[in-house]
Amino acid sequence: MLMAPLWIAVIVGVLVGWAWKPKWANLGLMDSSVSISKESHSRTEDDDSTTTFTAFRNFFKFQLPTCISATSDYGIQKDVPSTSNSISPCSSSQAHRRMEQSSFVTEDDLEHLCRLVEEKDGGPVWIQMMDRSTPTMAYQAWRRDPENGPPQYRSRTVYEDVTPEMVRDFFWDDDSRLKWDDMLIYASTLEECPNTGTMVVQWVRKFPFFCSDREYIIGRRIWESGRSYYCVTKGVPYTSMPRRNKPKRVDLFYSSWYIRAVESRRGDGQLTACEVILFHHEDMGIPWEIAKLGVRQGMWGAVKKFDPALRAYVKERASGASLSRCAYMAQINTKVSADYLRTLQNCTNDLSVVEASDSSEKPGGRNIPKLLIVGGAIALACSIDKGLLTKAVIFGVARRFAKIGRRL
C-alpha cells in the first residue's frame, strides 16, 4: 500500500516525459574528446576486457575484440580470423620513428600500474564484490568509486597448471579471442613497434539493441621483470583515425594486467599456477550506477568463460599451431629489473600518503536520501533520451524500490 503511490508516480512521470521530451534534450549529451595522460590516470586510478572488464558483457552484451579480416557495415572487418599477412606492421624506419615519437604507452604507465598492484596509488579503499572458484580457477573481485570518474574494478584470478607466458599470450591474442567471444565485431592493428612491442589497435564492441556500438583506439605494451609481466592497455588519441557518428568512440579506457607464477592451491610448493591481477575502468557513456548493476549481475557468468577458453588455447599451442601476429607481438617485451621496479614504488610512496590524506579529509558526499536519487533519476528520464537511457534508469530505480519494499 505504501509503495503503490510511488510506483504510479514513477510510471506516469516516465511516460509523460518520454512522450513530451523537449527537442533540446537531445543536444544535452555530446561526444567529447578526452586526452589520456598521466594526470588522467592519477585522477581515475584504475582503468576493462579481460576479467572484471568482461563482466559488463553478460549484462550489456559487449565483447572484447580480436584481430579479423572481412568487410562489415562499418567499412571495417568482421568474423574472420586474420593472419599475420593481413596486418601491415610498422616495420619501416618511418613508421618506427612515428611510433617512438608518439609515446603511446610510456614508463609513466608502468609506474602507474606498479602503484596499483602494490595498492599505493592513494585511491579509495577497495570493496570486495566476489570470491568464487572452480577446480582449476579461483577468482576475487573488488570495486571502488572515485570522486571523479567511472567505477574502478580490481580482480585477482589464479589459473592452475598454466605458465605466465601462456596466459600473457592468451590475453593478447585477438585471433584466439575470436573463437570463443561470440560478441566480437571488429579489431585491427593500426601501428606496432618491433623493438618495444607497443601496439595501437582499433576495437569495436557490440552493445545491446538500445545502445550503439562503441569504438576504442587503444595503445598497449608489456614490460617483463623475471617471469612477471606488466601488461598495459589504455585509450590513446589517434589523429589518423577520425571520429565517426557510429560507432561512438570511447576515450576514457584503462585495462591492465599483472601476471606472475604463484604456488598451486594443491599446496605442493610448486609454482605451477598463474596469478592475474587486473585493473579496469572505462566511460562507455552509460550511467555509472547502471554499469555497476550490470557488473554485479554478469560478472561471474563472464569470468568463468575464460578458463575453458584458456585450456583450449593451451592445447592448440601444444599441438604446434602457428602464432598469430598479436601473440607474436606479446612476446616482444621491455625488460626491467626488480631493483628498478622497487625504485618506482619508493619514489611514489610519499605521494601516495599525501593523496590518501587529502582524500580522507574531504567530506563523504554519498549519504544522499534515496528519494532524492529517485527524483533525479525520474527527472533525467523525462528530459534526456540517449540510447534508450530512460529504460535503463527505470530498471535501476525499480530494483531500488524493490529493496526498500522488502525492508518495509
Side-chain angles (χ1 to χ4, degrees):
M1 293 175 62
L2 293 174
M3 296 301 300
L6 294 176
W7 274 105
I8 294 173
V10 169
I11 295 173
V12 172
V14 169
L15 292 178
V16 172
W18 186 273
W20 292 347
K21 175 190 60 179
K23 294 181 179 180
W24 54 262
N26 289 330
L27 302 176
L29 296 174
M30 302 296 292
D31 295 344
S32 60
S33 300
V34 180
S35 176
I36 305 300
S37 63
K38 182 180 178 181
E39 180 181 355
S40 66
H41 285 310
S42 301
R43 184 173 61 252
T44 56
E45 307 298 344
D46 180 359
D47 187 16
D48 110 213
S49 125
T50 300
T51 38
T52 305
F53 148 61
T54 58
F56 288 94
R57 292 180 308 169
N58 275 19
F59 185 75
F60 293 109
K61 300 299 182 183
F62 67 80
Q63 80 298 328
L64 299 176
T66 64
C67 295
I68 49 183
S69 62
T71 303
S72 73
D73 294 337
Y74 293 122
I76 51 184
Q77 301 166 340
K78 184 176 182 180
D79 291 344
V80 181
S82 65
T83 64
S84 59
N85 295 329
S86 65
I87 300 176
S88 56
C90 297
S91 56
S92 67
S93 58
Q94 181 180 2
H96 189 192
R97 286 195 301 270
R98 193 166 63 246
M99 172 66 71
E100 290 184 331
Q101 293 171 358
S102 300
S103 299
F104 292 110
V105 187
T106 67
E107 301 294 329
D108 291 339
D109 298 299
L110 172 61
E111 176 184 340
H112 179 64
L113 179 55
C114 289
R115 291 168 59 191
L116 289 172
V117 171
E118 298 297 326
E119 299 187 42
K120 296 178 180 179
D121 62 309
V125 176
W126 293 100
I127 302 173
Q128 187 165 11
M129 300 173 57
M130 184 173 296
D131 188 351
R132 297 198 182 185
S133 63
T134 67
T136 56
M137 181 187 75
Y139 180 78
Q140 296 173 297
W142 297 263
R143 190 197 76 236
R144 67 183 182 183
D145 298 304
E147 293 184 359
N148 299 309
Q152 301 175 359
Y153 297 92
R154 173 179 181 264
S155 69
R156 177 181 181 269
T157 311
V158 177
Y159 298 99
E160 296 289 333
D161 301 317
V162 66
T163 65
E165 292 75 19
M166 189 64 67
V167 174
R168 173 203 62 191
D169 295 353
F170 171 71
F171 284 138
W172 227 246
D173 193 338
D174 294 336
D175 288 356
S176 173
R177 190 183 302 279
L178 178 64
K179 299 176 183 178
W180 55 268
D181 192 344
D182 56 359
M183 299 303 296
L184 171 66
I185 293 183
Y186 171 75
S188 68
T189 301
L190 303 178
E191 289 190 33
E192 60 185 35
C193 177
N195 287 353
T196 65
T198 303
M199 302 178 69
V200 179
V201 298
Q202 180 190 20
W203 290 359
V204 177
R205 294 189 193 151
K206 183 178 180 181
F207 274 58
F209 67 93
F210 56 83
C211 292
S212 62
D213 298 335
R214 297 296 193 266
E215 178 192 41
Y216 301 75
I217 304 297
I218 297 173
R220 59 189 190 185
R221 182 178 175 182
I222 300 176
W223 283 266
E224 175 186 352
S225 178
R227 294 191 65 198
S228 299
Y229 299 92
Y230 294 83
C231 311
V232 174
T233 71
K234 66 171 188 175
V236 296
Y238 196 75
T239 57
S240 300
M241 184 64 62
R243 292 175 181 272
R244 296 168 292 182
N245 292 333
K246 291 184 178 181
K248 178 181 177 181
R249 182 168 297 180
V250 175
D251 295 291
L252 179 55
F253 173 84
Y254 183 86
S255 190
S256 298
W257 303 266
Y258 171 62
I259 303 173
R260 64 171 180 171
V262 294
E263 184 177 348
S264 170
R265 285 188 295 175
R266 292 188 291 267
D268 53 8
Q270 301 298 315
L271 301 180
T272 56
C274 178
E275 177 188 61
V276 179
I277 299 178
L278 167 72
F279 299 91
H280 177 87
H281 70 260
E282 64 178 288
D283 189 352
M284 301 173 291
I286 294 175
W288 298 336
E289 290 298 325
I290 302 302
K292 289 194 291 186
L293 174 63
V295 171
R296 288 196 298 268
Q297 295 293 327
M299 177 177 289
W300 178 241
V303 168
K304 64 183 180 182
K305 293 180 180 180
F306 280 80
D307 190 54
L310 174 60
R311 306 301 167 180
Y313 185 77
V314 172
K315 291 181 179 179
E316 181 181 0
R317 290 282 293 273
S319 67
S322 60
L323 287 177
S324 69
R325 184 68 188 180
C326 293
Y328 170 78
M329 293 299 296
Q331 299 181 6
I332 303 176
N333 309 146
T334 303
K335 292 180 172 56
V336 294
S337 65
D339 291 337
Y340 176 74
L341 295 176
R342 282 192 293 269
T343 301
L344 290 179
Q345 296 167 11
N346 293 334
C347 290
T348 57
N349 281 344
D350 294 338
L351 178 60
S352 300
V353 171
V354 172
E355 290 176 348
S357 176
D358 290 343
S359 62
S360 64
E361 292 174 0
K362 295 180 180 179
R366 293 198 178 273
N367 296 324
I368 304 175
K370 292 184 179 295
L371 289 180
L372 182 59
I373 297 176
V374 173
I378 296 174
L380 180 63
C382 294
S383 60
I384 297 177
D385 175 20
K386 185 183 181 184
L388 293 184
L389 171 62
T390 303
K391 293 183 179 180
V393 171
I394 294 309
F395 181 71
V397 171
R399 288 183 61 87
R400 289 182 178 274
F401 272 131
K403 293 180 180 180
I404 296 173
R406 285 196 296 268
R407 289 197 295 268
L408 294 176

